[in-house]
Every structure is written in C-alpha cells, then in structure tokens.
Amino acid sequence: MLTKMIETLKKNPRTIVYTEGTDNRILDAASKLTKEGILGVILLGNPEEVKAAAKAGNYDIEGCCIIDPVGYPEMDAMVAEMVKLRKGKMTDEQVRKALSKSNYFGTMLVKMGKADCLLGGATYSTADTVRPALQLIKTKPGNKIVSSCFILVRGDEKIAMGDCAINIDPTEDDLVEIAVESANTAKIFGMDPKVAMLSYSTLGSGKGPSVTKVANATKKIKEVAPNLAVEGEIQFDASVSPDVASIKCPGSPVAGQANTFIFPDINAGNIGYKIASRLGGYTAVGPVLQGLNAPINDLSRGCTAEEVYSMSIVTAALSIPQDDAPAKEAEPAPAPVEKAPEEVDTTELELLVRIVVETLKAAKKFKK
C-alpha cells in the first residue's frame, strides 16, 4: 500500500515534524525514514534528551533535525505570527507560553513553512493535536469542519470509512464534507471511490430523522460533486453485496460495489471500523484528519513504531498536490469538468468579449 507513496515522496521531498522527539516509537520511525531517504525529519525536544533517548534505544538520528522550543532563534517572529492568527484571543505572553509546548510549536513550524506536515499523539491526546491545528492551520477554503477517515487494508483490498473519530453527530452539511473529503483521501490511497451513505434504510425503505439526514446529504453531495459516484441512503448489505443490491437498489452504479463508507454518526462509525478490524481481518490506518489547510495527523497513544512509520508516510503524502499523488498517476487524463448551468466562467467570458471587440475594431479600420 505504501510503495507508490514512498516513490512519490522520494520524487517530491517532504519534511515532517514530530511533537514527541524523545519517544522510542518516534525515534525508531524517524531513523528508518531518514535512512531510507523517504522524509526529512524534525524532532522536537531538548537536544541532549533526544540524543540520549536515541542512544539508549540504538536509533540512528544523524539525519534528523532537532529543534528545542526553548531558545528557538526565530521565536519572536513565531510569536508575532501566532498573535495575528489568534486575532486578539491570546496575548503575547499567552502565546509564548503555548509555544513552549511542542504541539503548538510544531503546528506553527508547519504554518510558517518550516515543515510540510505534523504527526503527534504518541503521548498527547487527540484534542491536544487537533486544537492547535484548528486554531492555527485552520480549515481549507470551503470547509467548515475537520473530519476523519480510516483506510482499512486486507491483502490487496482497501476500503475507506468516515467519520469514525471526530464528529459525534454530523449534520447534513457535515456529512457532505465528510463524504467528499473521504473520497479524496481514498484517491490518495490509490482507490477509485464509490461512496455509500450508510443507514438502516435503503432509498426510503425506512423512516426516521437519521434516514432523512443521510438522504438529504446524499442529494447535496450529488449537487456539489456531480462526478463522484455516491448512493444513499443505503444499508450496508446493499452497498457491498451485488445480489442484495439487485433487489434493494437495482441499476445503481455504487450499490453492491461500494468501497468508501460514510456513517451517519460517530457511534456507527467507530463501532463499524473496529468490527472490520477485529473480526474482518483488516488493518486500520488512521485516523487520517481531513479538511485542514495542511496535513496534521494524530497517533493512538498505544501505537507501535511500525504504525508511526506508516502514518508518517501517509501524512507526508497528503501534503503533495493530488495531481502528483500516486492515485492520479494510474488514472487516465481527467475529462473536462462540467460546470453547473448557473455558473459562468467570468474570466473566459471577459476574454471572449475582448476578442470580439478587437475583431470589430480591426474590421472597422479595414473598411476605412
């Protein structure tokens, strides 16, 4: 799964910052990533403590950059930038105190272009990783929320599931963002996303507020992302079984072959991905945080060094424009995007008018 990502990263160098530079799992992954020439690595922490931890664990971190927030030479510039970003919500003194913590400091390194992405959470909570990202990196234009997606792998098979970790009870509009972002994440992992908006109902077979929410969200997705293959509301069996799909959802381009599953709430999502992982034999990669202006990802505090290594590659790959991502290399040239009837390309229209005017002027001069 990671092979194409690694190849792409070697062609498009990226630097990742780790908030917990003395953690053995981080040091193990950092050592491998730099030795293999996959990523540039920044380890945060006291240099003497980081080096001592590496020596004790026999990790080679010669290729890594170690930065200590204490005594950082560009701290004044970082403080000034963060004060602007917080827009009066934090004083200079409060900002300096926050930046003494590696989660805020590391996030600002990404914001200021010193690193391309961040991976934290080996000892921090998810909230401590996500909060600085929301305050400083912020959501992408057009996005209002941060969501999550798990990629589940079993042999050559891959499926995506969202949102299983962040949004407790997403609204219709939240589900739209979650579905579109999860489809984009699936593409980065080399998948051709076919999105199932899951429910206990299939196309009106059941009733209830949750059914209405998912059905309405599906309609909105088809409006904002007309080229995305999506079906909903749909039951899980109809989304994966061709036989069931032929009965419950005949003629659907998604039913019976879905690979990207969007749950109506976090209860269903969290339970669903863990059932797939524990009983279905899938390995879960994630959660991959979605919707931010730069990749910031969270580790489980019970993660292994191998999981840190894998999530580092995934996080860095997310920082590469999708035109260069592995999924795009295998796809044919995209068809021209059809604009909605009410949308007008004003730039193209202006150019066309200018050409007509100049042509008329030239014709008038020629007649004279």
Side-chain angles (χ1 to χ4, degrees):
M1 180 187 70
L2 299 176
T3 303
K4 287 187 177 180
M5 288 185 183
I6 290 172
E7 291 174 359
T8 302
L9 286 169
K10 287 184 176 181
K11 296 174 184 177
N12 301 268
R14 291 295 187 269
T15 297
I16 190 168
V17 56
Y18 294 110
T19 54
E20 297 119 325
T22 58
D23 188 280
N24 282 345
R25 296 162 295 179
I26 299 295
L27 292 168
D28 188 316
S31 174
K32 292 177 182 176
L33 289 165
T34 51
K35 275 185 178 180
E36 294 168 7
I38 298 172
L39 289 176
V41 169
I42 297 175
L43 298 168
L44 299 186
N46 179 285
E48 292 183 3
E49 293 177 2
V50 173
K51 290 177 181 177
K55 184 177 181 180
N58 197 30
Y59 304 118
D60 180 3
I61 58 168
E62 286 298 316
C64 302
C65 174
I66 304 172
I67 299 179
D68 188 353
V70 178
Y72 181 59
E74 298 182 46
M75 180 59 77
D76 288 343
M78 185 178 281
V79 169
E81 180 65 20
M82 184 166 163
V83 168
K84 288 181 184 177
L85 290 168
R86 297 301 291 134
K87 296 179 180 179
K89 295 178 182 177
M90 294 177 75
T91 65
D92 185 283
E93 183 179 348
Q94 289 172 326
V95 166
R96 286 184 184 275
K97 184 177 181 180
L99 288 173
S100 67
K101 300 174 183 177
S102 61
N103 57 338
Y104 274 95
F105 183 83
T107 304
M108 279 303 296
L109 287 180
V110 175
K111 180 64 181 179
M112 298 179 75
K114 307 292 184 182
D116 298 292
C117 52
L118 177 147
L119 187 59
T123 58
Y124 279 111
S125 68
T126 296
D128 286 335
T129 301
V130 175
R131 188 183 304 109
L134 283 172
Q135 293 175 347
L136 305 174
I137 301 297
K138 303 182 181 180
T139 55
K140 296 185 294 188
N143 285 60
K144 295 181 180 178
I145 63 168
V146 172
S147 62
S148 73
C149 177
F150 279 89
I151 302 296
L152 291 106
V153 184
R154 185 175 64 186
D156 294 331
E157 184 183 359
K158 287 176 283 190
I159 58 176
M161 291 184 170
D163 179 350
C164 308
I166 301 292
N167 295 284
I168 295 173
D169 187 17
T171 65
E172 289 177 12
D173 291 337
D174 292 341
L175 287 176
V176 173
E177 281 194 34
I178 292 166
V180 172
E181 290 296 328
S182 296
N184 289 337
T185 299
K187 288 179 184 178
I188 291 172
F189 280 83
M191 299 166 59
D192 177 18
K194 291 180 174 57
V195 181
M197 303 297 291
L198 297 177
S199 173
Y200 57 82
S201 166
T202 296
L203 303 182
S205 66
K207 304 295 180 184
S210 176
V211 173
T212 301
K213 178 176 75 170
V214 176
N216 289 344
T218 306
K219 291 177 184 176
K220 292 180 180 181
I221 293 167
K222 291 178 179 179
E223 292 172 1
V224 301
N227 295 323
L228 180 61
V230 59
E231 188 62 86
E233 86 286 5
I234 187 170
Q235 292 165 290
F236 186 79
D237 58 351
S239 72
V240 297
S241 168
D243 291 338
V244 176
S246 66
I247 298 170
K248 293 186 175 183
C249 206
S252 169
V254 172
Q257 52 184 324
N259 58 14
T260 302
F261 304 94
I262 307 303
F263 294 90
D265 58 45
I266 200 171
N267 268 321
N270 195 270
I271 293 168
Y273 103 81
K274 287 183 177 177
I275 288 175
S277 175
R278 297 293 179 175
L279 300 183
Y282 286 89
T283 298
V285 178
V288 176
L289 299 187
Q290 307 172 142
L292 290 166
N293 271 313
I296 307 288
N297 273 326
D298 180 47
L299 292 163
S300 165
R301 278 173 282 183
C303 65
T304 65
E306 188 58 36
E307 288 170 339
V308 176
Y309 175 87
S310 298
M311 275 303 295
S312 299
I313 292 169
V314 169
T315 303
L318 291 169
S319 72
I320 298 174
Q322 283 200 34
D323 286 344
D324 299 323
K328 294 294 183 181
E329 293 177 1
E331 295 177 356
V337 178
E338 294 183 4
K339 294 182 174 65
E342 68 273 17
E343 292 182 348
V344 177
D345 189 332
T346 56
T347 302
E348 186 175 337
L349 181 59
E350 183 181 347
L351 179 60
L352 180 60
V353 171
R354 190 182 301 122
I355 291 171
V356 171
V357 170
E358 293 299 325
T359 302
L360 290 173
K361 284 180 179 179
K364 188 175 182 181
K365 288 179 181 180
F366 179 77
K367 286 180 180 179
K368 289 181 179 179

